[in-house]
Amino acid sequence: MSNRTVITFGTFDVLHVGHVRVLKRAAALGDRLVVGVSADALNLKKKNRAPVFTQDERMEIVGALAVVDEVFVEESLELKRDYIEKYAADVLVMGDDWKGKFDFVSDLCEVVYLPRTPSVSTTGLIEHIAGSA
Ligand code: CTP
């Protein structure tokens, strides 16, 4: 019996079709999809602005998707190996904007980079909405 666990990570703020598609494609690579939703503090540090939705709201939204089996808060970008082990992941999926950057975990699990959906991003959406206000 195969029971492949897929893990992926992201902010998933202001959920859009690019997010849904990557999660669907990630889920199709295994039997169980676990999603690490990045902590508010991580986003603040990286982007200098808080996400529109809090980490609890983002986890609730992502966790409500039919293809997602489990969500957790990604507290640190440095803990990928620990999360892969904790959730017994067989496959790590990342967008191809990260191509090559996670090959260092390939001793623990398979690493798959999926192409991003063109022309949509949370940053672009926020700018679009702010510009039309
Ligand atoms: N993603 C995707 N296609 C897009 C946007 C995102 O496949 N058009 C994927 C990313 O590659 C990642 C996941 O969705 O695997 C979460 O990405 P995230 O950074 O939260 O979304 P972005 O829209 O890229 O957000 P931002 O503009 O804030 O960087």
Side-chain angles (χ1 to χ4, degrees), residues 8-14 16-23 25 38 43 46-47 49 93-98 114-126:
T8 192
F9 298 86
T11 306
F12 300 101
D13 190 25
V14 189
H16 57 67
V17 73
H19 295 145
V20 172
R21 287 182 189 162
V22 79
L23 292 172
R25 283 180 290 159
S38 59
N43 285 279
K46 203 170 72 181
K47 296 188 182 161
R49 65 165 175 80
V93 169
M94 298 296 294
D96 64 1
D97 38 331
W98 293 99
L114 293 178
R116 284 170 66 91
T117 299
S119 315
V120 60
S121 71
T122 295
T123 306
L125 280 171
I126 292 171

Side-chain angles (χ1 to χ4, degrees), residues 106-118:
S106 57
D107 58 319
L108 291 179
C109 67
E110 193 183 326
V111 182
V112 175
Y113 301 97
L114 293 178
R116 284 170 66 91
T117 299

Side-chain angles (χ1 to χ4, degrees), residues 70-121:
E70 191 167 347
V71 284
F72 67 93
V73 185
E74 180 185 21
E75 302 278 3
S76 162
L77 296 175
E78 320 302 322
L79 292 176
K80 292 277 185 310
R81 292 183 73 85
D82 302 70
Y83 294 130
I84 288 166
E85 285 182 332
K86 177 170 180 194
Y87 292 95
D90 301 287
V91 190
L92 168 67
V93 169
M94 298 296 294
D96 64 1
D97 38 331
W98 293 99
K99 198 159 188 118
K101 301 253 166 60
F102 290 94
D103 290 358
F104 70 94
V105 304
S106 57
D107 58 319
L108 291 179
C109 67
E110 193 183 326
V111 182
V112 175
Y113 301 97
L114 293 178
R116 284 170 66 91
T117 299
S119 315
V120 60
S121 71

